[in-house]
Amino acid sequence: MRRKVGLILIGAGAFFLALAPLVRFYVARQVVAAPLNVYEKTTLRADNATYLDTSKWRIQKGATVTATNTTRGDVRAGDGKIAVWDSFTSIEDPAGNAKIETQSQRAVFDRRTAEMRNGRGAAVNSDSGVRQSGVGLFWPIGVKRKTYPYFDITTKRTWPMTYEGEEKVHGITTYRFVQQIPPTITDSIKPGVPASLLGLPAKQVARLPGYDKKNDAVAVNRVYQATTTVWVDPRTGAPVNQEQKVTQTLRTSDGVDRLTVADLDLKMVPKSQQDLVDLSGSEADKIALVRTWLPYGGGTLGIVLLVSGLAFAVSGRREPAPGESTDAPRPAGEKPSA
């Protein structure tokens, strides 16, 4: 009986030993990836902000501006290799009841490397002609301490995002990355903005290149400059905090920046940080389960079962069969003792 139990334990041990590397090197590789079905809502806030209210063509100062982002996964458009996420951001002044700007992005990216792709409807502000590359809404699981090309939807191109060190965010260790975007023209405003907005004397305005006397407007370029900081959980590749300092100016065609139309120091509110940390922690537990606990726990259990089975099998071979005498055999002709 002990021998049979031993053989069963040996078989179970061998099964778990074979299963452990399969889970670690194959199953984990298939399971550990960016989720297809994601829903996140975060808010960044800028106090004492400056912005241009285009409904009144007036510069507003000292405002509290919020940038609310909603990201939702398009499950049907994704598959085992590619994820498709739709992101929408509304920037507004709630107290002034003013909509400042809206931004949208359809991001298509590799679920494991986080490298952005094109096709499947990928677009920025409904413009599918924008070529997206680098990383963006999602970072690689197990992100490295290095510089990554990071896609910026305002300038519609990638800029280096440099690793700056480790930092705690609501109790978890994160990697802090910083991106510097130099003054960059993002769009041209034609026929232009009201000449009065620039606050220049009429004679000086009349001499500006791009001045439209009929409409009393001046053609300008919008110039964007930003410093973006992202805190990423290296266990999951999930951003858990973000700050963005943005400056925008109006530049006339003579190359002179005439007016600051945006000065925002946006910081993610604590509740949004905590929500992202909690979500990332849940994903980290799932990753640890298939990468560590199941393979190493299964391997350990397999060794214990194998050793126990061998011990049972060996001891079982020494046991007499039922009804078998344990007395030593007597020499031939010897009479049993009384």
Side-chain angles (χ1 to χ4, degrees), residues 325 327-337:
S325 174
D327 294 338
R330 294 187 296 273
E334 183 181 338
K335 296 182 179 180
S337 59

Side-chain angles (χ1 to χ4, degrees), residues 133-140 143-153 157-165 175-182 224 226-232 239 241-244:
S133 61
V135 299
L137 298 179
F138 188 79
W139 291 66
V143 61
K144 306 298 182 183
R145 300 179 180 90
K146 68 175 188 177
T147 298
Y148 286 86
Y150 187 84
F151 185 78
D152 173 68
I153 66 172
R157 55 174 289 190
T158 59
W159 301 86
M161 180 77 86
T162 305
Y163 170 76
E164 296 283 342
Y175 292 172
R176 186 179 72 254
F177 294 88
V178 180
Q179 180 189 64
Q180 301 282 353
I181 299 179
Y224 174 88
T227 299
T228 301
T229 306
V230 180
W231 287 261
V232 181
N241 190 17
Q242 182 176 344
E243 293 183 4
Q244 192 171 30

Side-chain angles (χ1 to χ4, degrees), residues 114-130:
E115 183 71 22
M116 301 185 76
R117 305 289 181 82
N118 294 288
R120 306 196 190 197
V124 174
N125 296 329
S126 301
D127 183 0
S128 58
V130 177

Side-chain angles (χ1 to χ4, degrees), residues 63-245:
T64 297
V65 171
T66 60
T68 302
N69 173 265
T70 302
T71 299
R72 188 190 305 270
D74 186 342
V75 178
R76 293 184 178 180
D79 56 33
K81 295 182 178 179
I82 301 296
V84 181
W85 291 4
D86 292 311
S87 173
F88 179 82
T89 302
S90 177
I91 305 173
E92 55 190 58
D93 173 6
N97 195 29
K99 291 279 189 181
I100 302 171
E101 186 179 0
T102 59
Q103 299 174 331
S104 64
Q105 178 186 15
R106 185 172 175 85
V108 179
F109 59 93
D110 188 290
R111 296 181 63 193
R112 291 163 184 82
T113 67
E115 183 71 22
M116 301 185 76
R117 305 289 181 82
N118 294 288
R120 306 196 190 197
V124 174
N125 296 329
S126 301
D127 183 0
S128 58
V130 177
R131 300 292 88 184
Q132 301 183 54
S133 61
V135 299
L137 298 179
F138 188 79
W139 291 66
I141 296 173
V143 61
K144 306 298 182 183
R145 300 179 180 90
K146 68 175 188 177
T147 298
Y148 286 86
Y150 187 84
F151 185 78
D152 173 68
I153 66 172
T154 301
T155 57
K156 300 177 182 178
R157 55 174 289 190
T158 59
W159 301 86
M161 180 77 86
T162 305
Y163 170 76
E164 296 283 342
E166 293 186 1
E167 193 169 314
K168 292 282 188 180
V169 175
H170 290 272
I172 69 169
T173 300
T174 66
Y175 292 172
R176 186 179 72 254
F177 294 88
V178 180
Q179 180 189 64
Q180 301 282 353
I181 299 179
T184 304
I185 295 175
T186 56
D187 64 290
S188 297
I189 303 176
K190 295 178 180 179
V193 298
S196 59
L197 183 65
L198 302 181
L200 299 174
K203 290 184 178 180
Q204 186 176 350
V205 170
R207 293 194 297 268
L208 288 176
Y211 174 64
D212 183 348
K213 183 177 181 180
K214 180 180 179 181
N215 296 305
D216 193 28
V218 181
V220 294
N221 292 323
R222 188 186 297 269
V223 180
Y224 174 88
Q225 182 176 359
T227 299
T228 301
T229 306
V230 180
W231 287 261
V232 181
D233 184 347
R235 302 172 302 170
T236 63
V240 295
N241 190 17
Q242 182 176 344
E243 293 183 4
Q244 192 171 30
K245 183 169 180 55

Side-chain angles (χ1 to χ4, degrees), residues 40 53 65 171 195-196 201 247 251 253 269 283 285 292 312-313 323 328:
E40 298 174 357
D53 185 345
V65 171
S196 59
T247 303
R251 178 181 296 176
S253 54
V269 300
E283 291 300 315
D285 290 341
T292 304
F312 269 86

